[in-house]
Amino acid sequence: MRVVFMGTPEFSLAPLHEIFDRGHEIVAVYTRAPKPAGRRGLELTPSPVHAAAEKRGIEVRTPKNFRDPEEVEAFRALNADVAVVVAYGLILPKSVLDAPKHGCLNLHASLLPRWRGAAPIQRAIMAGDAETGVEVMQMEEGLDTGPIGMTAKLAITENMTAGEAHDQLSALAGGLIGRALAALEAGELTFTPQAEDGVLYAKKIDKAEARLDFTKPAAELHNVIRGLSPFPGAYFEADFGKGFERVKILKSALTKGSGAPGEILDAAPTIACGSGALKLVEVQRAGRGVVSGEEFARGAKLAAGAKKILA
């Protein structure tokens, strides 16, 4: 089939490669425009999808939006059978959604209608969900409201981070869109309306959410740490003798222990919470690399009971 692919970040790469490798004709790739990068912000860096498409010899387009009728007409002129949208980052008007013969299919990383919106992977883990997934959805003008064509599920294990879930879901998305396009081409892809109950919105992560409060239960903090790892990273602030500095926790584990919230209980290090305790598994101090919790404790010269980590 003639396919337009619309995506931007690394999550979109597996679906892009799957569509190409299955022999579909990708007539154009739409992605966000290159962004300034480097120390001085002078170098324009293309998105992961942009770079991958160019390596495949596919035409790349980077419109700022689709308000210009000429952009819509250029999209329509591709005469695509279907558009596949994976974390593109731009709102598509009805004129674009209706242009391909079979409309636009979106790969969304949640089990809809739970976690519609911008940060479904992070929100599922932060909420302590037991599973998530990827779904092929027929796009409508509403935010992730369209009917569902196919689903692939992923169990969220106790210590799984958002980064780990991201990579597994991306791989699932690749296989899923491959099967969905094969069914669409055969006239066998059917869609089911989303349930009206259970709608939740995955709003963007606010910076304030990344600051840990050790008066809260350990299980809640563990979910926040997992959901914000590796980016932006949940953190606390502590004084190790040279003033307060920010420390990110990238991996943690629930463990037994009790004490005043924020108290260091042992050299693991284990930190007391409002209820229960957390073992710090991977930590990153400001301006330094990622180290194990034990290495962090040694470097910061933390002694059990001697200090409190302050949120």
Side-chain angles (χ1 to χ4, degrees):
M1 289 192 297
R2 290 175 60 83
V3 179
V4 173
F5 187 88
M6 311 178 85
T8 297
E10 288 187 9
F11 185 85
S12 311
L13 292 180
L16 172 64
H17 293 314
E18 181 75 16
I19 293 168
F20 187 94
D21 292 342
R22 281 182 175 250
H24 297 287
E25 182 185 1
I26 302 179
V27 294
V29 161
Y30 281 74
T31 189
R32 298 301 298 271
K35 291 184 176 182
R39 287 187 176 182
R40 298 182 180 179
L42 300 178
E43 300 176 11
L44 291 178
T45 301
S47 72
V49 165
H50 191 147
E54 286 191 335
K55 287 183 179 180
R56 295 281 198 175
I58 305 169
E59 179 187 354
V60 177
R61 299 181 179 183
T62 58
K64 291 183 178 180
N65 53 57
F66 287 93
R67 298 191 190 101
D68 187 341
E70 292 186 4
E71 286 291 355
V72 176
E73 185 54 38
F75 181 87
R76 186 180 291 113
L78 292 169
N79 194 30
D81 292 310
V82 66
V84 175
V85 184
V86 191
Y88 177 33
L90 287 182
I91 295 174
L92 303 182
K94 191 174 188 301
S95 56
V96 170
L97 296 176
D98 293 343
K101 178 181 178 181
H102 297 290
C104 298
L105 300 182
N106 176 237
L107 281 166
H108 185 76
S110 80
L111 300 178
L112 294 165
R114 187 173 178 84
W115 303 128
R116 293 174 178 172
I121 299 175
Q122 294 95 327
R123 293 298 176 190
I125 293 177
M126 291 171 73
D129 290 1
E131 68 175 357
T132 185
V134 179
E135 296 191 315
V136 174
M137 172 184 63
Q138 184 80 56
M139 293 183 71
E140 300 176 340
E141 289 186 273
L143 177 62
D144 300 329
T145 58
I148 306 303
M150 281 189 177
T151 300
K153 294 184 177 181
L154 174 70
I156 300 177
T157 56
E158 181 181 354
N159 294 317
M160 179 180 285
T161 66
E164 292 164 346
H166 168 282
D167 294 347
Q168 293 186 47
L169 288 169
S170 178
L172 283 176
L176 188 67
I177 195 60
R179 296 192 297 274
L181 291 182
L184 181 65
E185 193 171 17
E188 298 173 353
L189 184 61
T190 59
F191 293 89
T192 302
Q194 293 184 34
E196 295 182 3
D197 298 329
V199 176
L200 282 177
Y201 289 94
K203 65 179 181 179
K204 291 182 179 180
I205 303 299
D206 188 282
K207 290 182 179 180
E209 296 180 85
R211 187 182 178 97
L212 296 172
D213 178 358
F214 287 104
T215 65
K216 293 183 177 180
E220 182 178 334
L221 296 178
H222 180 56
N223 290 341
V224 171
I225 290 166
R226 295 188 301 127
L228 300 183
S229 178
F231 182 83
Y235 72 92
F236 61 88
E237 291 181 338
D239 185 354
F240 305 118
K242 296 183 180 180
F244 281 91
E245 65 176 84
R246 183 173 296 190
V247 181
K248 290 184 179 181
I249 307 177
L250 299 177
K251 287 188 178 181
S252 59
L254 293 172
T255 188
K256 295 180 180 179
S258 62
E263 183 181 351
I264 300 161
L265 302 179
D266 58 34
T270 298
I271 311 300
C273 303
S275 61
L278 277 180
K279 176 184 177 181
L280 308 192
V281 178
E282 286 187 0
V283 176
Q284 184 176 26
R285 293 174 68 174
R288 305 191 187 187
V290 178
V291 297
S292 69
E294 291 183 352
E295 187 175 348
F296 157 68
R298 289 195 300 270
K301 299 180 180 179
L302 302 181
K307 286 180 179 285
K308 286 187 176 181
I309 289 179
L310 302 179

